[in-house]
Amino acid sequence: MNNGKTGIFAMLSFILALVLLAGCGNSAAPSASPSASPSASPSASASESAPADESPSASGLEGKVVFWSMWSNTEPQAKVIEEAVAEFKANNPAVEVELKFNGRDINKLIKPALESGQQIDIFEQDPGAALANLKDHVLKLDDLLQQPSAGSEGKSVKDSLIPSLIEWVKTLSTEAGLEEGYYAIPQQPYAVLFFYNKALFEKAGITAVPTSWEEFLAACEALKQIGVDPITFDDAYRDLFIGGYFGSAMGSDWTDSLVKDKTGERWKDQIVQQFANDMQLLREQGYLSKKIAGNKYPAGQQDLALGKAGMYLNGTWLPNEVAATAGPDFRWGSFQFPIVPNGNGQGGLEGLTFGAQGLLLNKNSKNVPAAFELVKYLVGKKAQQAMSDQALAIPATIDTEWPAPLAEAATAFGNAKVNMPWGNGIDNGGDFSTGTVIPVFMELATGKLSPEAYVDKMSAAAKKFYGG
């Protein structure tokens, strides 16, 4: 789902450590173990009434609920939604549900429809974009989130969701100028991680994923020794590598200030020189694919899927995107950008670029009780397990098995205490980022610039750009 990139440009970093610790106990990290309850299986008939501990009681609800989805009716997510809606209707026969699959066109259709007063009770969208553009139409959900969840026994809706996700949504409210609170329910989570080929790691003798820069270099050398390009990327995701390095070392706030520095002096920081030296090392040691200079998306990720490269930095939608090339026997692994030494302590493994799509309610809905009851089915344990099994999507609930290709991503979500923006802020310079930062990075990565020349060129370019 390549459209994930656009949806998280607006994210600002927010420390969630206290939230992750408060009230979550041992369930703060999402579970990657199979669900013990057979009734949570997506193979169960959608028309059957689930047992009392698997579906919320909704007796007495009536009227009509209109739900606009961001998926098209041919996508696997749509099938899961249809199953959840069918179960809701079976348990709430007095409620009529009108389900409309808009696909990504919802992004241009939803605002005019809401402003015209058309009945839409529930809709899906990237929560950051939705709260920024539709803040006059969204319902605050704080009280509703305290209702019992669908299938996560003993937990409220709020407590059944991955803590880092639900609290990230809360930070978006004040950024949008709303009263602090929850205005969206996250689903379809995603994160930016290094994806790797487990078979190649085993062949190279790599027994654990690298967490430090030194371990990362050792993994690169081991992959090189078996004749595989250790690292590849293509033109659509070049920003992730440079942003990943600076974000790991210094955090996204520092990276944001780097690309917005009007004096050019910040580009002379020792961490920039260290980055330039490390990029030269990666190139000279043969750890970077020689194809990166000309790789056009999706060439890099195809090389990973074909076993020609060992590691590729991308979003958690990657296994789905290259499933046809990789085949069913490809063994996926993932890990966070390794910890870069000599940083300021603001990045590391606690920082993660992640986000989600969201379910939102129209504050002018005339049937909020029934609408939220349907939402509980959509983000309930059964539907979220079906999203994992049928759509290879990360479930939003904490007690749900993750799809096998993304199982290791659960570790990253468990580590996450700081939400990093896309590219850890490297793209926040606008035209300077796209027109200078990324192209000059490629000059460094391909050997056209020495580390010292890179620092000098970036410092001068920043001063010139912002000086008009």
Side-chain angles (χ1 to χ4, degrees), residues 193-201 223 228-234 237 289 291 295 298-327 329-335 405-406:
L193 301 165
F194 266 109
F195 285 86
Y196 70 94
N197 185 328
K198 283 190 173 183
L200 293 181
F201 266 46
L223 289 167
V228 172
D229 289 336
I231 305 165
T232 192
F233 51 80
D234 45 49
Y237 296 104
S289 168
K291 298 179 182 179
N295 266 357
Q301 62 188 47
Q302 290 295 317
D303 279 347
L304 178 71
L306 292 168
K308 297 178 180 179
M311 298 180 284
Y312 179 91
L313 189 60
N314 202 270
T316 47
W317 50 81
L318 178 64
N320 240 347
E321 285 192 344
V322 298
T325 303
D329 297 328
F330 192 99
R331 293 164 54 212
W332 289 96
S334 61
F335 61 92
L406 299 175

Side-chain angles (χ1 to χ4, degrees), residues 327-384:
D329 297 328
F330 192 99
R331 293 164 54 212
W332 289 96
S334 61
F335 61 92
Q336 288 173 261
F337 202 100
I339 299 173
V340 173
N342 304 314
N344 61 5
Q346 299 302 307
L349 300 183
E350 293 186 355
L352 179 67
T353 296
F354 69 90
Q357 304 303 329
L359 287 166
L360 303 97
L361 267 64
N362 183 356
K363 75 174 185 181
N364 294 319
S365 169
K366 300 297 192 293
N367 201 359
V368 170
F372 191 73
E373 195 69 24
L374 175 55
V375 166
K376 289 160 68 174
Y377 280 75
L378 295 169
V379 296
K381 182 177 179 180
K382 182 175 181 179
Q384 290 302 303

Side-chain angles (χ1 to χ4, degrees), residues 184-207:
I185 299 178
Q187 58 162 350
Q188 304 286 311
Y190 52 81
V192 171
L193 301 165
F194 266 109
F195 285 86
Y196 70 94
N197 185 328
K198 283 190 173 183
L200 293 181
F201 266 46
E202 290 176 2
K203 183 177 180 180
I206 304 169
T207 58

Side-chain angles (χ1 to χ4, degrees), residues 32-47:
S33 61
S35 168
S37 173
S39 60
S41 169
S43 62
S45 171
S47 61

Side-chain angles (χ1 to χ4, degrees), residues 152 249 422 443:
S152 294
W422 183 265
E443 292 180 31

